[in-house]
């Protein structure tokens, strides 16, 4: 499931404290939808909050708000281990006047994506002895599966890039093999 850590409605529940978002019940855990944009040729998250910032300080304020909402939990190896993948995408637009005093400008747009992958741990034989241990074990299995699929996606994209087949649809990229 995909959640927007900057959406106040997503954070209306107890948030990172116990892993619930948007209140209680099954509707709160449905998350946002991942969609394909055929025009741009890429995936996007539907209804994701975007903020226009005028300074680096504003960007850092939004980042800090997202970090406060992120799911973390204590594990045997880490006091605050990320329990979900988190992505921060920053798009920077730089506008330059073509001539002095001209109304025509050239715009350069760049996107930087920072990714915090959920922590992965090996399951101990006693990990499922308690309810909390069973939840952490199940969580670790899901995280490990997700990391495995991510590795396969990156490998497939790298092979495509090396061959110069950016627009070739003949090779399957396993984006949706994660549950």
């Amino acid at each position: 499931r995909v959640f927007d850590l900057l959406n106040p409605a997503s954070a209306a529940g107890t948030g990172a404290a116990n892993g619930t978002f948007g209140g209680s019940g099954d509707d709160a855990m449905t998350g946002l939808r991942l969609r394909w944009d055929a025009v741009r040729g890429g995936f996007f998250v539907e209804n994701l909050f975007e903020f226009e910032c005028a300074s680096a300080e504003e960007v850092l304020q939004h980042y800090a708000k997202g970090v406060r909402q992120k799911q973390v939990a204590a594990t045997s190896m880490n006091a605050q281990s990320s329990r979900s993948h988190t992505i921060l995408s920053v798009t920077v637009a730089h506008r330059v006047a073509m001539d002095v005093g001209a109304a025509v400008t050239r715009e350069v747009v760049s996107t930087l994506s920072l990714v915090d992958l959920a922590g992965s741990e090996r399951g101990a034989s006693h990990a499922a002895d308690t309810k909390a241990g069973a939840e952490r074990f199940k969580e670790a299995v899901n995280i490990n599966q997700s990391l495995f699929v991510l590795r396969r996606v990156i490998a497939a994209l790298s092979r495509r890039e090396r061959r110069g087949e950016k627009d070739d649809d003949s090779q399957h990229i396993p984006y949706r093999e994660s549950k």
Side-chain angles (χ1 to χ4, degrees), residues 20-58:
T20 61
F21 288 88
S24 60
D26 290 337
D27 290 341
M29 293 301 290
T30 57
L32 301 175
R33 293 180 159 216
L34 187 63
R35 298 281 192 201
W36 174 257
D37 184 344
V39 174
R40 292 184 186 164
F43 286 96
F44 71 98
V45 177
E46 193 174 59
N47 299 320
L48 191 66
F49 272 41
E50 293 183 11
F51 296 92
E52 188 170 322
C53 300
S55 68
E57 289 78 23
E58 268 187 88

Side-chain angles (χ1 to χ4, degrees), residues 91-145:
T91 302
V92 178
H94 180 69
R95 294 175 190 93
V96 180
M98 297 301 283
D99 292 319
V100 177
V104 178
T105 61
R106 181 178 73 120
E107 183 177 67
V108 177
V109 179
S110 301
T111 301
L112 172 67
S113 294
L114 304 173
V115 180
D116 176 20
L117 297 176
S120 172
E121 293 192 24
R122 297 190 190 282
S125 59
H126 57 75
D129 289 350
T130 65
K131 184 176 180 182
E135 286 297 315
R136 291 288 166 258
F137 183 75
K138 183 178 174 184
E139 197 173 72
V141 168
N142 289 334
I143 289 169
N144 287 340
Q145 179 184 6

Side-chain angles (χ1 to χ4, degrees), residues 1-14:
R1 291 177 287 238
V2 176
F3 296 99
D4 186 345
L5 298 179
L6 297 179
N7 181 341
S10 293
T14 53

